[in-house]
Amino acid sequence: MTRESLLKDEKLSVAVSRHPSLSSTQILTVCLIYEMGKGKSSWWLPYLMHLPRCYDIFATFGEFEKQALQVSDAIWAAERAISKARSEQNEANQLMAELNLKPQLLTFRAWCWAAATISSRTLHIPWDEAGCLCPVGDLFNYAAPGEETFCSEEVDGRLCASSFQATSLLNGDRAHKSNVEVLDAHDLRLTDGAYEEDVAAYCFYARQNYLKGEQVLLCYGTYTNLELLEHYGFLLNENPNDKVFIPLEPEIYSSCSWPKELLYIHQNGKPSFSLLSALRLWTTPPSKRRSLGQLAYSGSPLSTDNEIQVMKWIAKKCNLVLKNLPTSTEEDSLLLSSINEIQDLHSVVELEKAISASRGEIRSFLEANKLQNVASGNNLLLSSKARRSMERLKLAVQWRARYKKILLDCIFNCTETIDSLTCGKYLPFKLA
């Protein structure tokens, strides 16, 4: 299902032609809503009937779920997604009105459904940036790229080396092009499917031999948990591509040539190659930075004292970030248990007890959704809207809990390194 195939409908095609300012994705969204409006007369009905009825991408988040993310960057991402969805719907409203769609298909909820279908299920095609919907091909669940196909530290290292050379040789444009080519080459190896013109079909390739009954997983590319939640509506318990960005002083950026997107903490709590190198250089007196620059850019510690100073700075920054968040990991764990308990209840009596005993954030959620009264208990059992809202709250809490775990793991790793360097038991790298 593509824009091209759906626009064979003459009425739709004529209407769309009058709105050239709409993006290809907006047009595909309208086409999908229009196709849904055909009901049983749609040739795509068997496929449309099997699409999810709802999604949990950021554009569907309510105010409470959005604030439950707690981290400002995540809240901003959710606000941006919601604003973008509303803006794109407003721009397409005139076209949809001309198509005489049913009232329920003109709502923001309907737009979010279609936009989420496209965001989370379309596959890349070279001739249309909106992509295509591929029956059966969009059933595969996501598997993050494994270490055998992708090494972020390796890419970091190559980018850092080329960045240093670019600064030294004043050849930024050519170095930047080389960097893009390195990343593009990696990205191409991180996907398990592509449209192949010689067979005029979308082809998928397995990374392993599957036995009968095993779930087939496909890689769509590299995504952090925040990106997965924003565009696909789920996250992974163990995501090797997850990362946390901590606030850095402006002087850190000006003292090195690495892009900001490389200065982060890995999902295992270890600072990235680039972040360590940048901090090692930044904590060095300005008069010595030039002479020690090559050593820092190669990824080597500059001295034991410098390494301890860097580790203390990172641990302190992580502690400060955690301290400024409204809840602890323990509180998040208790909240997730409460959500799971309520979701698993199947009688009004049990639910009434759980609601009356609720406290804190879960109580605020129930009140915000008018579910705190006994009379509302039955509504919670029956309302799909309330269940979806609670599921999105759960996703938000799961995301922030993983975010905090990365910071805690980083503090542990930094403290362990400091202890080892102080005691002289071992050095994590060969010191100059």
Side-chain angles (χ1 to χ4, degrees), residues 41-218:
S41 66
S42 171
W43 185 85
W44 290 98
L45 182 64
Y47 172 63
L48 296 174
M49 293 298 293
H50 283 85
L51 289 174
R53 297 296 92 187
C54 55
Y55 296 91
D56 295 320
I57 64 171
F58 272 169
T60 67
F61 272 42
E63 183 64 24
F64 197 96
E65 300 101 77
K66 183 182 69 178
Q67 294 300 327
L69 292 163
Q70 293 186 348
V71 181
S72 58
D73 286 347
I75 294 173
W76 177 82
E79 290 175 341
R80 179 190 59 190
I82 295 167
S83 176
K84 181 173 181 286
R86 290 196 177 277
S87 175
E88 290 182 342
Q89 184 203 20
N90 289 336
E91 292 169 358
N93 273 339
Q94 186 177 345
L95 169 57
M96 293 194 291
E98 293 172 9
L99 292 170
N100 296 318
L101 296 172
K102 298 175 182 178
Q104 61 265 35
L105 297 178
L106 297 173
T107 63
F108 182 63
R109 181 181 178 185
W111 179 268
C112 280
W113 173 84
T117 298
I118 292 168
S119 171
S120 63
R121 305 184 80 83
T122 49
L123 307 176
H124 171 75
I125 47 178
W127 65 89
D128 191 341
E129 64 179 17
C132 71
L133 288 165
C134 180
V136 180
D138 61 3
L139 293 177
F140 300 106
N141 280 329
Y142 175 74
E147 292 181 358
E148 72 281 357
T149 59
F150 183 77
C151 178
S152 58
E153 289 289 350
E154 178 185 349
V155 174
D156 276 5
R158 290 184 184 181
L159 287 174
C160 292
S162 62
S163 295
F164 179 75
Q165 292 166 3
T167 302
S168 302
L169 302 176
L170 300 178
N171 193 18
D173 290 342
R174 188 164 59 192
H176 174 71
K177 181 178 179 182
S178 173
N179 293 346
V180 172
E181 289 173 351
V182 169
L183 289 176
D184 286 347
H186 275 277
D187 287 342
L188 287 173
R189 295 201 299 270
L190 295 176
T191 54
D192 297 336
Y195 183 83
E196 299 189 4
E197 295 184 9
D198 56 337
V199 292
Y202 219 97
C203 300
F204 298 90
Y205 297 90
R207 290 179 181 269
Q208 66 187 65
N209 292 322
Y210 286 98
L211 300 177
K212 183 177 181 180
E214 287 185 321
Q215 181 180 186
V216 177
L217 299 173
L218 293 182

Side-chain angles (χ1 to χ4, degrees), residues 22-35:
L22 295 179
S23 70
S24 57
T25 302
Q26 284 174 294
I27 293 173
L28 182 57
T29 304
V30 173
C31 290
L32 179 57
I33 294 173
Y34 180 77
E35 197 66 28

Side-chain angles (χ1 to χ4, degrees), residues 170-277:
L170 300 178
N171 193 18
D173 290 342
R174 188 164 59 192
H176 174 71
K177 181 178 179 182
S178 173
N179 293 346
V180 172
E181 289 173 351
V182 169
L183 289 176
D184 286 347
H186 275 277
D187 287 342
L188 287 173
R189 295 201 299 270
L190 295 176
T191 54
D192 297 336
Y195 183 83
E196 299 189 4
E197 295 184 9
D198 56 337
V199 292
Y202 219 97
C203 300
F204 298 90
Y205 297 90
R207 290 179 181 269
Q208 66 187 65
N209 292 322
Y210 286 98
L211 300 177
K212 183 177 181 180
E214 287 185 321
Q215 181 180 186
V216 177
L217 299 173
L218 293 182
C219 174
Y220 318 150
T222 56
Y223 295 97
T224 64
N225 269 343
L226 188 65
E227 292 166 335
L228 288 174
L229 192 51
E230 177 178 0
H231 300 292
Y232 295 96
F234 70 89
L235 41 76
L236 301 177
N237 288 326
E238 296 294 333
N239 184 355
N241 303 300
D242 209 8
K243 58 188 70 169
V244 165
F245 293 88
I246 56 176
L248 301 176
E249 278 72 4
E251 295 79 10
I252 296 176
Y253 299 117
S254 60
S255 66
C256 71
S257 58
W258 286 286
K260 292 181 180 180
E261 58 267 22
L262 292 182
L263 308 178
Y264 59 85
I265 299 171
H266 285 286
Q267 62 89 26
N268 59 6
K270 295 183 178 180
S272 69
F273 177 100
S274 304
L275 179 59
L276 278 176
S277 299

Side-chain angles (χ1 to χ4, degrees), residues 162-415:
S162 62
S163 295
F164 179 75
Q165 292 166 3
T167 302
S168 302
L169 302 176
L170 300 178
N171 193 18
D173 290 342
R174 188 164 59 192
H176 174 71
K177 181 178 179 182
S178 173
N179 293 346
V180 172
E181 289 173 351
V182 169
L183 289 176
D184 286 347
H186 275 277
D187 287 342
L188 287 173
R189 295 201 299 270
L190 295 176
T191 54
D192 297 336
Y195 183 83
E196 299 189 4
E197 295 184 9
D198 56 337
V199 292
Y202 219 97
C203 300
F204 298 90
Y205 297 90
R207 290 179 181 269
Q208 66 187 65
N209 292 322
Y210 286 98
L211 300 177
K212 183 177 181 180
E214 287 185 321
Q215 181 180 186
V216 177
L217 299 173
L218 293 182
C219 174
Y220 318 150
T222 56
Y223 295 97
T224 64
N225 269 343
L226 188 65
E227 292 166 335
L228 288 174
L229 192 51
E230 177 178 0
H231 300 292
Y232 295 96
F234 70 89
L235 41 76
L236 301 177
N237 288 326
E238 296 294 333
N239 184 355
N241 303 300
D242 209 8
K243 58 188 70 169
V244 165
F245 293 88
I246 56 176
L248 301 176
E249 278 72 4
E251 295 79 10
I252 296 176
Y253 299 117
S254 60
S255 66
C256 71
S257 58
W258 286 286
K260 292 181 180 180
E261 58 267 22
L262 292 182
L263 308 178
Y264 59 85
I265 299 171
H266 285 286
Q267 62 89 26
N268 59 6
K270 295 183 178 180
S272 69
F273 177 100
S274 304
L275 179 59
L276 278 176
S277 299
L279 291 174
R280 287 165 180 158
L281 200 58
W282 175 64
T283 53
T284 298
S287 60
K288 296 183 179 180
R289 287 176 185 171
R290 186 172 182 83
S291 61
L292 293 173
Q294 185 65 57
L295 190 62
Y297 278 77
S298 71
S300 298
L302 306 183
S303 70
T304 300
D305 288 342
N306 177 272
E307 196 71 2
I308 291 174
Q309 187 178 356
V310 167
M311 293 298 160
K312 285 182 177 179
W313 187 92
I314 296 175
K316 182 179 179 181
K317 185 66 70 170
C318 290
N319 263 315
L320 184 61
V321 173
L322 286 169
K323 183 179 179 181
N324 288 333
L325 293 174
T327 60
S328 65
T329 53
E330 292 79 10
E331 289 170 319
D332 291 343
S333 180
L334 290 173
L335 177 57
L336 287 171
S337 296
S338 297
I339 293 173
N340 289 332
E341 180 184 355
I342 291 176
Q343 287 180 324
D344 290 340
L345 297 178
H346 299 288
S347 77
V348 177
V349 174
E350 291 176 325
L351 191 56
E352 288 173 355
K353 290 181 180 179
I355 290 175
S356 62
S358 63
R359 296 290 184 272
E361 195 170 354
I362 188 64
R363 183 72 180 183
S364 299
F365 169 81
L366 295 171
E367 291 174 353
N369 286 272
K370 298 180 173 59
L371 301 169
Q372 75 276 18
N373 298 323
V374 172
S376 300
N378 193 41
N379 292 333
L380 184 60
L381 283 174
L382 300 177
S383 169
S384 59
K385 179 181 179 181
R387 285 189 172 276
R388 293 316 313 171
S389 184
M390 183 165 285
E391 185 60 31
R392 290 191 288 269
L393 172 64
K394 182 178 178 179
L395 286 168
V397 178
Q398 287 175 330
W399 179 84
R400 78 194 195 200
R402 288 170 176 78
Y403 175 94
K404 294 170 188 175
K405 184 179 185 303
I406 293 175
L407 292 175
L408 288 170
D409 287 345
C410 184
I411 294 171
F412 175 82
N413 289 332
C414 289
T415 303

Side-chain angles (χ1 to χ4, degrees), residues 6-15:
L6 294 177
L7 286 174
K8 290 178 180 179
D9 182 295
E10 185 177 357
K11 177 184 176 182
L12 179 62
S13 179
V14 170

